[in-house]
Amino acid sequence: GGFTKTSDWLDWYDGPSRPNFKLPPGAVDAHCHIFGPGEQFPYAPERKYTPCDANKEQLFALRDHLGFTRNVIVQATCHSADNRALMDACLASNGRARGVATVRRTVADDELRELHDAGVRGVRFNFVKRLVDFTPKEELQEIAARVAKLGWHVVIYFEAEDLPELWDFFTSLPTTIVVDHMGRPDVSKPVDGPEFALFRKFMREHKNVWCKVTCPERTTKTGPRALNGEQAAYRDVVPFARCLVDEFPDRVLWGTDWPHPNLKSHMPDDGLLVDFIPQITPSAELQQKLLVENPMRLYWPESGQN
Ligand SMILES: O=C(O)/C=C(\C=C(/O)C(=O)O)C(=O)O
């Protein structure tokens, strides 16, 4: 285990444990990234961080090590709207990876077609201020309207305190919406408190809104250590993920978020993250929905495996 320190961020874990939890056949890692390699796919000049390189061979090796069958590779802000590394990985995957791209309003129709043919099925709108500068809502609405014609969805990444001001924009989008990392709840607040109640209202009132119950390592206050055996790792995040799985079992997804950019406190062992899954989906039926049926319906609808 352990990691090598580079620049000001932690390198991804170089020896992930083999999870105790056995992933069901066909399981999808529905949120992960490819970074560079910087020599071949330079990072965007406007980026707000520089990650360690993390290439497709390493991603696919992790997929096989953990027991996943497929990946959904999500464009990260360090590559901005240059989706070449993501496309390269999707094309190399033999149909086992789909992509979520970042595009600007200037993107040409034939570029969108090329992205679709490579396996892209969505675009990502990022509202986390430490990651991106502001983009006018009308530009995002224009992009959403164009990609809706391709059957794509919109992935959104925002912080919980920004949901009220973003509410009208999100609820105006004409596509399926997938929220990254549960909208980053403050898990020091009660799971039945007003802030998380607003997020649950968002999903309850808008059946087109899905959510990734991911990244306990980003919101936890208790950390990765499982206390005296029976307590779950990242135990303070469990109630938040669990209540979304219970209330919206057909609209949740899961992913490793490898290679875990911008983490400073610790670098999660991806095997430990997979062992988080049974804590939040206590039945095989719920695990099948979270890991196979839901991601297949969204990213491989043609396979009929949903
Ligand atoms: O990998 C994640 O999903 C989370 C982060 C980074 C990005 O999403 C990105 O750069 O696009 C983060 O919270 O720093």
Side-chain angles (χ1 to χ4, degrees), residues 9 31-33 35 49 74-79 102 124 126 128 130-132 157 180-181 184 212 214-215 218 257-263:
W9 303 115
H31 187 97
C32 49
H33 306 285
F35 292 154
Y49 69 91
V74 176
Q75 182 76 347
T77 57
C78 54
H79 279 302
T102 296
R124 190 168 190 231
N126 205 315
V128 178
R130 64 179 160 83
L131 293 172
V132 289
Y157 188 30
D180 283 340
H181 315 330
R184 291 186 67 103
K212 298 172 192 171
T214 43
C215 282
R218 294 185 182 279
D257 191 34
W258 185 87
H260 313 284
N262 305 321
L263 286 181

Side-chain angles (χ1 to χ4, degrees), residues 4-305:
T4 49
K5 182 128 178 54
T6 62
S7 72
D8 46 353
W9 303 115
L10 301 175
D11 265 7
W12 40 272
Y13 209 83
D14 66 359
S17 55
R18 207 167 289 280
N20 297 318
F21 174 61
K22 183 135 179 44
L23 289 163
V28 181
D29 179 349
H31 187 97
C32 49
H33 306 285
I34 294 281
F35 292 154
E39 291 300 303
Q40 186 184 2
F41 302 112
Y43 297 107
E46 67 270 27
R47 67 184 178 279
K48 293 187 185 294
Y49 69 91
T50 301
C52 56
D53 284 352
N55 64 40
K56 58 182 181 288
E57 290 79 14
Q58 290 157 332
L59 176 65
F60 298 156
L62 179 75
R63 173 197 67 195
D64 298 343
H65 170 81
L66 296 175
F68 284 102
T69 302
R70 293 181 174 87
N71 295 92
V72 179
I73 304 171
V74 176
Q75 182 76 347
T77 57
C78 54
H79 279 302
S80 192
D82 178 350
N83 299 287
R84 283 175 296 165
L86 181 146
M87 287 176 70
D88 172 69
C90 288
L91 290 167
S93 74
N94 291 322
R96 294 173 68 185
R98 289 285 190 256
V100 177
T102 296
V103 300
R104 301 283 177 249
R105 76 179 346 155
T106 50
V107 65
D109 285 345
D110 55 7
E111 191 184 345
L112 288 177
R113 173 54 55 198
E114 192 187 358
L115 286 162
H116 190 89
D117 293 345
V120 171
R121 294 295 182 268
V123 288
R124 190 168 190 231
F125 295 162
N126 205 315
F127 300 89
V128 178
K129 295 180 181 65
R130 64 179 160 83
L131 293 172
V132 289
D133 294 331
F134 176 77
T135 301
K137 294 293 176 289
E138 58 276 2
E139 171 166 349
L140 299 177
Q141 269 158 344
E142 195 179 292
I143 292 167
R146 283 181 66 191
V147 303
K149 297 192 182 80
L150 294 168
W152 292 10
H153 56 273
V154 173
V155 172
I156 52 179
Y157 188 30
F158 60 92
E159 290 167 300
E161 66 265 21
D162 295 333
L163 179 53
E165 75 173 271
L166 291 167
W167 183 279
D168 291 346
F169 169 69
F170 288 161
T171 55
S172 75
L173 291 173
T175 62
T176 292
I177 296 169
V178 183
V179 178
D180 283 340
H181 315 330
M182 302 186 280
R184 291 186 67 103
D186 177 348
V187 297
S188 66
K189 293 182 180 166
V191 68
D192 51 3
E195 185 181 79
F196 201 58
L198 184 68
F199 184 75
R200 294 168 68 180
K201 178 175 186 272
F202 181 37
M203 289 193 73
R204 190 176 303 121
E205 292 182 355
H206 301 274
K207 308 298 184 204
N208 61 318
V209 179
W210 294 38
C211 176
K212 298 172 192 171
V213 284
T214 43
C215 282
E217 72 280 10
R218 294 185 182 279
T219 51
T220 186
K221 308 282 192 259
T222 55
R225 292 285 155 257
L227 275 187
N228 45 51
E230 67 274 8
Q231 289 272 1
Y234 307 117
R235 68 188 184 289
D236 54 346
V237 183
V238 170
F240 291 80
R242 179 68 191 272
C243 90
L244 296 178
V245 169
D246 289 345
E247 189 171 358
F248 312 110
D250 299 313
R251 290 188 270 148
V252 286
L253 301 170
W254 195 85
T256 56
D257 191 34
W258 185 87
H260 313 284
N262 305 321
L263 286 181
K264 279 196 160 181
S265 65
H266 74 287
M267 181 46 69
D269 169 348
D270 298 281
L272 184 72
L273 286 177
V274 170
D275 282 338
F276 183 70
I277 294 171
Q279 312 291 338
I280 61 172
T281 48
S283 75
E285 188 205 5
L286 283 171
Q287 288 155 10
Q288 184 69 11
K289 285 176 183 285
L290 177 75
L291 295 162
V292 184
E293 292 171 19
N294 297 349
M296 289 304 288
R297 190 164 72 253
L298 193 56
Y299 289 100
W300 284 270
E302 69 284 358
S303 73
Q305 270 197 60

